[in-house]
Amino acid sequence: NKTEQVKKALQYIFAKHLMYPYAPMKNNLRCVQWRESVLHTQTVEGVFRKHMQAVVDPLFKTFAEGRPFLTPEEWFRMLDCMEIFPCSGTELDSDAQQMNAWDRVWAWQASAMTQVEELAHVRSLHLLFVEFLEALACLVGLLHSRKFCENHLEDENGERWDYGMPHASPVSVFCLEPAVTDTDGFAELLDGFFAGPIPAKALSG
């Protein structure tokens, strides 16, 4: 019947043209899977708990200025203090600065809960503490994947991820560093970040 034919046609379209092995959908799906398979694990949670009192909570409180959320301006100010993905006042060309700004915004958007209404309410401009935790994790993953991409131009299937652009989008490269998609590997990266000089620089500034 027609219903069955339509069903098969849609399955074929999704299987052959939207899902694996095509890079755009594959990269987006990997980011979604990373949240469940890596971020929401006891191993990574243990790293957050380890550094909660000394680093994570003070960071949030310092830049939220007593409120239960961060605004985009405060998020950018924190990253300016950390000197992460600089997008102004640097020797980078305009394309690199724009990509750094995109990286900053992507980490925010990927972590913030989707809001049905974004015009009449300001909730979409508020990053709550639990979302802030994920945004920090996204930053760490993206930092290491960007470094990985400096020496690797193709994925495991030999497909380039820059699509002919000067810089690859954050969602295209986020899961390319093998350690980012490995629970123990990412926990080690996150632990090193919290124990390192970058968060301390923001807290002291």
Side-chain angles (χ1 to χ4, degrees), residues 11 22 26 36 43 47 77 84 91 98 111 120 138 145 153 162 167-168 177 202:
Q11 288 177 338
Y22 295 95
K26 178 176 66 176
E36 179 180 355
T43 303
V47 176
R77 183 161 61 87
I84 291 179
E91 297 180 354
Q98 291 176 8
S111 308
C138 284
S145 288
L153 300 178
D162 56 9
H167 304 279
E177 163 60 70

PDB file of all heavy atoms in Angstrom, residues 11 22 26 36 43 47 77 84 91 98 111 120 138 145 153 162 167-168 177 202:
ATOM      1  N   GLN A  11      12.764   5.871   4.802  1.00  0.00           N
ATOM      2  CA  GLN A  11      13.891   5.123   5.372  1.00  0.00           C
ATOM      3  C   GLN A  11      15.094   5.153   4.442  1.00  0.00           C
ATOM      4  O   GLN A  11      16.237   5.289   4.886  1.00  0.00           O
ATOM      5  CB  GLN A  11      13.466   3.683   5.642  1.00  0.00           C
ATOM      6  CG  GLN A  11      12.516   3.532   6.829  1.00  0.00           C
ATOM      7  CD  GLN A  11      12.060   2.089   7.008  1.00  0.00           C
ATOM      8  OE1 GLN A  11      12.098   1.294   6.076  1.00  0.00           O
ATOM      9  NE2 GLN A  11      11.620   1.763   8.216  1.00  0.00           N
ATOM     10  N   TYR A  22      27.697  10.344   5.875  1.00  0.00           N
ATOM     11  CA  TYR A  22      27.863  11.721   5.444  1.00  0.00           C
ATOM     12  C   TYR A  22      28.239  12.605   6.631  1.00  0.00           C
ATOM     13  O   TYR A  22      27.581  12.601   7.666  1.00  0.00           O
ATOM     14  CB  TYR A  22      26.590  12.218   4.753  1.00  0.00           C
ATOM     15  CG  TYR A  22      26.324  11.448   3.473  1.00  0.00           C
ATOM     16  CD1 TYR A  22      25.474  10.349   3.464  1.00  0.00           C
ATOM     17  CD2 TYR A  22      26.986  11.782   2.301  1.00  0.00           C
ATOM     18  CE1 TYR A  22      25.260   9.613   2.306  1.00  0.00           C
ATOM     19  CE2 TYR A  22      26.776  11.065   1.132  1.00  0.00           C
ATOM     20  CZ  TYR A  22      25.919   9.981   1.133  1.00  0.00           C
ATOM     21  OH  TYR A  22      25.713   9.267  -0.011  1.00  0.00           O
ATOM     22  N   LYS A  26      26.734  13.136  10.554  1.00  0.00           N
ATOM     23  CA  LYS A  26      27.548  12.299  11.427  1.00  0.00           C
ATOM     24  C   LYS A  26      28.177  13.123  12.546  1.00  0.00           C
ATOM     25  O   LYS A  26      28.168  12.721  13.712  1.00  0.00           O
ATOM     26  CB  LYS A  26      28.647  11.613  10.611  1.00  0.00           C
ATOM     27  CG  LYS A  26      29.581  10.748  11.443  1.00  0.00           C
ATOM     28  CD  LYS A  26      30.582  10.020  10.575  1.00  0.00           C
ATOM     29  CE  LYS A  26      31.539  10.972   9.891  1.00  0.00           C
ATOM     30  NZ  LYS A  26      32.569  10.245   9.113  1.00  0.00           N
ATOM     31  N   GLU A  36      25.875  11.870  26.262  1.00  0.00           N
ATOM     32  CA  GLU A  36      25.434  10.696  27.024  1.00  0.00           C
ATOM     33  C   GLU A  36      26.578   9.721  27.301  1.00  0.00           C
ATOM     34  O   GLU A  36      26.695   9.201  28.415  1.00  0.00           O
ATOM     35  CB  GLU A  36      24.324   9.971  26.267  1.00  0.00           C
ATOM     36  CG  GLU A  36      23.814   8.721  26.965  1.00  0.00           C
ATOM     37  CD  GLU A  36      22.711   8.023  26.195  1.00  0.00           C
ATOM     38  OE1 GLU A  36      22.268   8.555  25.168  1.00  0.00           O
ATOM     39  OE2 GLU A  36      22.292   6.927  26.636  1.00  0.00           O
ATOM     40  N   THR A  43      32.635   8.929  35.836  1.00  0.00           N
ATOM     41  CA  THR A  43      34.053   9.286  35.758  1.00  0.00           C
ATOM     42  C   THR A  43      34.226  10.788  35.577  1.00  0.00           C
ATOM     43  O   THR A  43      35.017  11.431  36.281  1.00  0.00           O
ATOM     44  CB  THR A  43      34.730   8.538  34.597  1.00  0.00           C
ATOM     45  OG1 THR A  43      34.544   7.134  34.766  1.00  0.00           O
ATOM     46  CG2 THR A  43      36.212   8.853  34.548  1.00  0.00           C
ATOM     47  N   VAL A  47      35.406  14.184  38.210  1.00  0.00           N
ATOM     48  CA  VAL A  47      36.353  15.278  37.981  1.00  0.00           C
ATOM     49  C   VAL A  47      35.723  16.615  38.379  1.00  0.00           C
ATOM     50  O   VAL A  47      36.371  17.458  39.017  1.00  0.00           O
ATOM     51  CB  VAL A  47      36.796  15.307  36.503  1.00  0.00           C
ATOM     52  CG1 VAL A  47      37.700  16.509  36.237  1.00  0.00           C
ATOM     53  CG2 VAL A  47      37.506  14.019  36.135  1.00  0.00           C
ATOM     54  N   ARG A  77      33.251  37.498  28.781  1.00  0.00           N
ATOM     55  CA  ARG A  77      34.228  38.134  29.668  1.00  0.00           C
ATOM     56  C   ARG A  77      35.077  37.083  30.380  1.00  0.00           C
ATOM     57  O   ARG A  77      36.281  37.254  30.545  1.00  0.00           O
ATOM     58  CB  ARG A  77      33.507  39.019  30.687  1.00  0.00           C
ATOM     59  CG  ARG A  77      34.454  39.794  31.606  1.00  0.00           C
ATOM     60  CD  ARG A  77      33.729  40.966  32.249  1.00  0.00           C
ATOM     61  NE  ARG A  77      32.609  40.522  33.059  1.00  0.00           N
ATOM     62  CZ  ARG A  77      32.712  40.168  34.339  1.00  0.00           C
ATOM     63  NH1 ARG A  77      33.888  40.201  34.948  1.00  0.00           N
ATOM     64  NH2 ARG A  77      31.651  39.792  35.026  1.00  0.00           N
ATOM     65  N   ILE A  84      40.843  32.277  26.097  1.00  0.00           N
ATOM     66  CA  ILE A  84      40.397  31.137  25.302  1.00  0.00           C
ATOM     67  C   ILE A  84      39.637  31.637  24.081  1.00  0.00           C
ATOM     68  O   ILE A  84      38.722  32.454  24.191  1.00  0.00           O
ATOM     69  CB  ILE A  84      39.493  30.211  26.129  1.00  0.00           C
ATOM     70  CG1 ILE A  84      40.307  29.503  27.213  1.00  0.00           C
ATOM     71  CG2 ILE A  84      38.814  29.175  25.241  1.00  0.00           C
ATOM     72  CD1 ILE A  84      39.473  28.581  28.089  1.00  0.00           C
ATOM     73  N   GLU A  91      46.431  39.342  17.161  1.00  0.00           N
ATOM     74  CA  GLU A  91      47.057  39.410  15.840  1.00  0.00           C
ATOM     75  C   GLU A  91      46.404  38.453  14.856  1.00  0.00           C
ATOM     76  O   GLU A  91      46.880  38.299  13.732  1.00  0.00           O
ATOM     77  CB  GLU A  91      48.554  39.105  15.960  1.00  0.00           C
ATOM     78  CG  GLU A  91      49.316  40.118  16.814  1.00  0.00           C
ATOM     79  CD  GLU A  91      50.789  39.795  16.916  1.00  0.00           C
ATOM     80  OE1 GLU A  91      51.184  38.718  16.416  1.00  0.00           O
ATOM     81  OE2 GLU A  91      51.537  40.603  17.497  1.00  0.00           O
ATOM     82  N   GLN A  98      36.521  35.567  13.847  1.00  0.00           N
ATOM     83  CA  GLN A  98      35.115  35.193  13.709  1.00  0.00           C
ATOM     84  C   GLN A  98      34.891  33.730  14.074  1.00  0.00           C
ATOM     85  O   GLN A  98      33.887  33.387  14.702  1.00  0.00           O
ATOM     86  CB  GLN A  98      34.644  35.471  12.280  1.00  0.00           C
ATOM     87  CG  GLN A  98      34.546  36.947  11.935  1.00  0.00           C
ATOM     88  CD  GLN A  98      34.167  37.188  10.488  1.00  0.00           C
ATOM     89  OE1 GLN A  98      33.836  36.252   9.760  1.00  0.00           O
ATOM     90  NE2 GLN A  98      34.208  38.438  10.064  1.00  0.00           N
ATOM     91  N   SER A 111      25.245  23.754  25.068  1.00  0.00           N
ATOM     92  CA  SER A 111      25.051  23.396  26.476  1.00  0.00           C
ATOM     93  C   SER A 111      23.741  23.901  27.049  1.00  0.00           C
ATOM     94  O   SER A 111      23.212  23.324  28.004  1.00  0.00           O
ATOM     95  CB  SER A 111      26.213  23.963  27.313  1.00  0.00           C
ATOM     96  OG  SER A 111      27.451  23.586  26.773  1.00  0.00           O
ATOM     97  N   ALA A 120       9.952  36.600  23.489  1.00  0.00           N
ATOM     98  CA  ALA A 120       9.261  37.324  24.554  1.00  0.00           C
ATOM     99  C   ALA A 120       9.899  37.114  25.916  1.00  0.00           C
ATOM    100  O   ALA A 120       9.540  37.782  26.882  1.00  0.00           O
ATOM    101  CB  ALA A 120       7.792  36.899  24.612  1.00  0.00           C
ATOM    102  N   CYS A 138      32.490  21.394  27.112  1.00  0.00           N
ATOM    103  CA  CYS A 138      32.554  21.622  25.666  1.00  0.00           C
ATOM    104  C   CYS A 138      33.789  22.434  25.295  1.00  0.00           C
ATOM    105  O   CYS A 138      34.439  22.173  24.280  1.00  0.00           O
ATOM    106  CB  CYS A 138      31.299  22.349  25.189  1.00  0.00           C
ATOM    107  SG  CYS A 138      29.827  21.318  25.084  1.00  0.00           S
ATOM    108  N   SER A 145      40.379  19.452  20.399  1.00  0.00           N
ATOM    109  CA  SER A 145      40.083  19.039  19.024  1.00  0.00           C
ATOM    110  C   SER A 145      40.619  20.043  18.015  1.00  0.00           C
ATOM    111  O   SER A 145      41.053  19.669  16.924  1.00  0.00           O
ATOM    112  CB  SER A 145      38.571  18.853  18.849  1.00  0.00           C
ATOM    113  OG  SER A 145      38.133  17.687  19.519  1.00  0.00           O
ATOM    114  N   LEU A 153      43.909  16.775   8.649  1.00  0.00           N
ATOM    115  CA  LEU A 153      42.975  17.470   7.770  1.00  0.00           C
ATOM    116  C   LEU A 153      41.784  16.614   7.369  1.00  0.00           C
ATOM    117  O   LEU A 153      40.853  17.117   6.740  1.00  0.00           O
ATOM    118  CB  LEU A 153      43.697  17.949   6.500  1.00  0.00           C
ATOM    119  CG  LEU A 153      44.860  18.918   6.731  1.00  0.00           C
ATOM    120  CD1 LEU A 153      45.516  19.272   5.403  1.00  0.00           C
ATOM    121  CD2 LEU A 153      44.376  20.170   7.439  1.00  0.00           C
ATOM    122  N   ASP A 162      36.737  20.596   6.633  1.00  0.00           N
ATOM    123  CA  ASP A 162      36.645  22.047   6.498  1.00  0.00           C
ATOM    124  C   ASP A 162      35.710  22.465   5.363  1.00  0.00           C
ATOM    125  O   ASP A 162      35.349  23.631   5.243  1.00  0.00           O
ATOM    126  CB  ASP A 162      38.029  22.657   6.276  1.00  0.00           C
ATOM    127  CG  ASP A 162      38.755  22.055   5.076  1.00  0.00           C
ATOM    128  OD1 ASP A 162      38.116  21.290   4.313  1.00  0.00           O
ATOM    129  OD2 ASP A 162      39.952  22.343   4.914  1.00  0.00           O
ATOM    130  N   HIS A 167      38.350  27.737   7.876  1.00  0.00           N
ATOM    131  CA  HIS A 167      38.322  27.127   9.201  1.00  0.00           C
ATOM    132  C   HIS A 167      37.098  26.219   9.291  1.00  0.00           C
ATOM    133  O   HIS A 167      36.033  26.556   8.782  1.00  0.00           O
ATOM    134  CB  HIS A 167      38.259  28.195  10.290  1.00  0.00           C
ATOM    135  CG  HIS A 167      39.379  29.193  10.222  1.00  0.00           C
ATOM    136  ND1 HIS A 167      40.633  28.935  10.726  1.00  0.00           N
ATOM    137  CD2 HIS A 167      39.422  30.430   9.685  1.00  0.00           C
ATOM    138  CE1 HIS A 167      41.411  29.986  10.507  1.00  0.00           C
ATOM    139  NE2 HIS A 167      40.700  30.901   9.880  1.00  0.00           N
ATOM    140  N   ALA A 168      37.260  25.087   9.958  1.00  0.00           N
ATOM    141  CA  ALA A 168      36.152  24.142  10.117  1.00  0.00           C
ATOM    142  C   ALA A 168      35.241  24.581  11.249  1.00  0.00           C
ATOM    143  O   ALA A 168      35.684  25.153  12.241  1.00  0.00           O
ATOM    144  CB  ALA A 168      36.694  22.748  10.391  1.00  0.00           C
ATOM    145  N   GLU A 177      39.275  14.655  18.078  1.00  0.00           N
ATOM    146  CA  GLU A 177      40.342  14.246  18.988  1.00  0.00           C
ATOM    147  C   GLU A 177      39.900  12.967  19.698  1.00  0.00           C
ATOM    148  O   GLU A 177      38.888  12.962  20.410  1.00  0.00           O
ATOM    149  CB  GLU A 177      40.615  15.360  19.986  1.00  0.00           C
ATOM    150  CG  GLU A 177      41.387  14.937  21.222  1.00  0.00           C
ATOM    151  CD  GLU A 177      42.747  14.359  20.928  1.00  0.00           C
ATOM    152  OE1 GLU A 177      43.626  15.133  20.508  1.00  0.00           O
ATOM    153  OE2 GLU A 177      42.914  13.131  21.114  1.00  0.00           O
ATOM    154  N   ALA A 202      41.654  33.333  35.232  1.00  0.00           N
ATOM    155  CA  ALA A 202      40.368  34.024  35.255  1.00  0.00           C
ATOM    156  C   ALA A 202      39.970  34.422  36.661  1.00  0.00           C
ATOM    157  O   ALA A 202      39.414  35.500  36.900  1.00  0.00           O
ATOM    158  CB  ALA A 202      39.288  33.135  34.644  1.00  0.00           C
TER     159      ALA A 202
END
